[in-house]
Amino acid sequence: MFGKDLTPNHTLRRLIQAWCTLNASFGIERIPTPRPPIERAQIAKLLNDAKKFPHLQLKSLRRLRSITLESERNRICLEEAGAVDFLATILKNGDSTSVDIASDDNESEFSRASGEALNILYHLKISERKLKNLITNDGDQFLESLLQILKHSSYQSRAYATMLLKSVFEVADPMHLISIRPEMFVELVRVLNDQISQQSSKAALKLLVEVCPWGRNRIKAVEGGAVSVLIELLLDKSEKRACELVLAVLDLLCGCAEGRAELLKHGAGLAVVSKKILRVSHVASDKAVRILCSICRFSATSRVLQEMLQVGVVAKLCLVLQVDSSFKSKERAREILKLHSRVWRNSACVPPYLMSSYPSS
């Protein structure tokens, strides 16, 4: 059976480099000489030095980060050498060494070491098997360390922690998904509110989509302030995937009474959800109509029904019946309109050309 490493052809590489040099006048750049591949023994030594010698820990971590960024082969090699467990230990145990230096210096040293460890863990692109091991073996402490980073660290570290949490919860067992602390939702909402980066915002939204269906997580997210922040994001964003994710989370949160109440409390909640129908994608339209369906089934007071008329929700639902939209969206729009036809059927708020498609009771 053949190994996965290929033997480099140094003679061919040197011939190509010589040809590049001869033809430099034609704008051809000389290809660089690649670094020799890292060996597992070298990684083991770096890990050992970082564990045994406190004064070498930060230097070793920076070298490990450099190795991580060089190639996929290096990342696999690092994981196989036990780097993931060591880096997680730095995050979990605070200062993983016993450094006898002043407390301020110690805090600063740990902060830098923790930042490097987090950076490496994110860029390692940890395998599913190793992620499962990470969450199974003392996962609560590891998750707590990521929560503390979300609470107290720099924007960059918070972004890395969010993206790492997304990867972890994608492979977590139901017990971990059900027992997520309310503070975690508060911090994920803060990541969205601060708009640290497009990548971290999407990771936070995907994470909420992943965990909200479990246990009381929808209520925890609502109590963490998610609904108002999501509505503000919808008002601010037009990018397709971001809108789809925001609407997907809102759809989940409107599956509970607390989520619907928060959406209705926001002055722009109904209007912005309606506005996204037929303007983003079929996926976004389906989610938006689902949200309106939840409101109309379970939270349709007379005030809400009048607001839906005034902000154009009813007109938009009539439009859904006329244009090219998904079968499910049409069915839900028809259901909503039939459900409240006594209030809406003859309203002057809906233009006649749209009212013509209003379904009969």
Side-chain angles (χ1 to χ4, degrees):
M1 186 174 177
F2 293 106
K4 56 188 171 184
D5 291 333
L6 300 175
T7 303
N9 189 328
H10 297 296
T11 302
L12 178 59
R13 187 250 307 158
R14 283 193 289 268
L15 285 169
I16 293 170
Q17 286 177 326
W19 181 86
C20 290
T21 302
L22 287 171
N23 291 275
S25 58
F26 298 102
I28 295 170
E29 295 183 5
R30 184 179 183 274
I31 61 168
T33 301
R35 294 184 181 185
I38 197 78
E39 298 297 334
R40 186 166 175 168
Q42 294 172 270
I43 294 171
K45 183 179 186 310
L46 282 168
L47 292 173
N48 195 48
D49 286 348
K51 292 173 189 175
K52 282 190 173 181
F53 307 108
H55 63 286
L56 292 179
Q57 186 177 82
L58 199 54
K59 182 180 179 182
S60 298
L61 287 170
R62 284 170 178 159
R63 176 66 184 126
L64 287 170
R65 172 163 55 86
S66 175
I67 291 168
T68 302
L69 297 173
E70 280 175 13
S71 70
E72 176 67 19
R73 179 191 179 279
N74 285 3
R75 289 190 283 274
I76 293 169
C77 200
L78 275 162
E79 183 174 312
E80 290 175 348
V84 173
D85 292 330
F86 169 65
L87 296 166
T89 299
I90 292 179
L91 299 185
K92 286 189 291 187
N93 297 343
D95 189 354
S96 61
T97 59
S98 336
V99 188
D100 293 325
I101 48 180
S103 60
D104 285 348
D105 290 342
N106 186 51
E107 183 179 351
S108 175
E109 187 77 8
F110 163 65
S111 178
R112 289 195 293 270
S114 178
E116 289 291 348
L118 182 65
N119 188 324
I120 299 165
L121 280 171
Y122 166 67
H123 285 104
L124 270 177
K125 297 178 175 62
I126 308 168
S127 67
E128 183 176 326
R129 176 186 60 82
K130 197 63 186 177
L131 282 170
K132 284 183 177 178
N133 289 345
L134 202 57
I135 193 111
T136 302
N137 303 327
D138 205 13
D140 290 343
Q141 196 177 349
F142 179 66
L143 292 174
E144 177 62 26
S145 67
L146 292 178
L147 175 58
Q148 293 307 313
I149 289 166
L150 287 175
K151 284 183 176 181
H152 304 298
S153 294
S154 66
Y155 271 16
Q156 185 181 56
S157 290
R158 288 168 63 203
Y160 286 152
T162 302
M163 292 183 279
L164 197 52
L165 278 168
K166 172 187 164 289
S167 299
V168 167
F169 280 119
E170 282 175 347
V171 301
D173 59 58
M175 282 306 298
H176 281 105
L177 293 169
I178 290 167
S179 58
I180 300 172
R181 290 175 55 187
E183 295 96 319
M184 187 72 81
F185 290 95
V186 172
E187 295 308 318
L188 289 173
V189 169
R190 197 161 68 94
V191 168
L192 291 172
N193 190 56
D194 291 345
Q195 297 191 49
I196 295 172
S197 69
Q198 192 175 32
Q199 196 176 9
S200 62
S201 291
K202 284 186 179 178
L205 290 167
K206 288 176 182 177
L207 179 49
L208 289 170
V209 170
E210 183 76 33
V211 303
C212 279
W214 295 88
R216 296 185 71 257
N217 287 346
R218 287 183 298 188
I219 295 171
K220 292 175 193 174
V222 171
E223 291 174 347
V227 175
S228 62
V229 170
L230 291 168
I231 292 169
E232 293 298 326
L233 286 175
L234 269 188
L235 288 166
D236 186 49
K237 290 191 179 297
S238 57
E239 195 263 321
K240 176 186 167 184
R241 186 57 180 148
C243 286
E244 290 174 347
L245 286 168
V246 171
L247 288 165
V249 181
L250 276 176
D251 178 32
L252 288 168
L253 299 186
C254 285
C256 66
E258 295 84 352
R260 294 191 296 275
E262 285 297 309
L263 184 133
L264 292 172
K265 188 190 296 184
H266 195 293
L270 286 171
V272 74
V273 169
S274 173
K275 183 180 179 182
K276 296 300 177 182
I277 297 173
L278 306 177
R279 289 196 175 192
V280 180
S281 67
H282 282 312
V283 171
S285 294
D286 286 346
K287 295 297 181 186
V289 173
R290 277 176 59 96
I291 292 165
L292 296 176
C293 196
S294 294
I295 297 293
C296 288
R297 281 176 179 170
F298 307 112
S299 305
T301 64
S302 57
R303 182 192 66 80
V304 169
L305 295 179
Q306 286 304 313
E307 183 183 348
M308 293 179 85
L309 267 174
Q310 291 162 7
V311 302
V313 172
V314 181
K316 182 60 75 77
L317 292 172
C318 288
L319 183 60
V320 167
L321 297 180
Q322 292 186 359
V323 301
D324 177 28
S325 55
S326 75
F327 175 77
K328 284 187 177 180
S329 288
K330 286 182 184 288
E331 285 295 296
R332 289 195 182 97
R334 190 173 287 109
E335 176 192 340
I336 296 167
L337 292 168
K338 282 184 177 182
L339 197 59
H340 301 293
S341 61
R342 287 186 180 181
V343 180
W344 295 337
R345 187 73 175 83
N346 299 309
S347 173
C349 292
V350 182
Y353 76 93
L354 291 175
M355 188 60 81
S356 64
S357 63
Y358 204 104
S360 55
S361 299

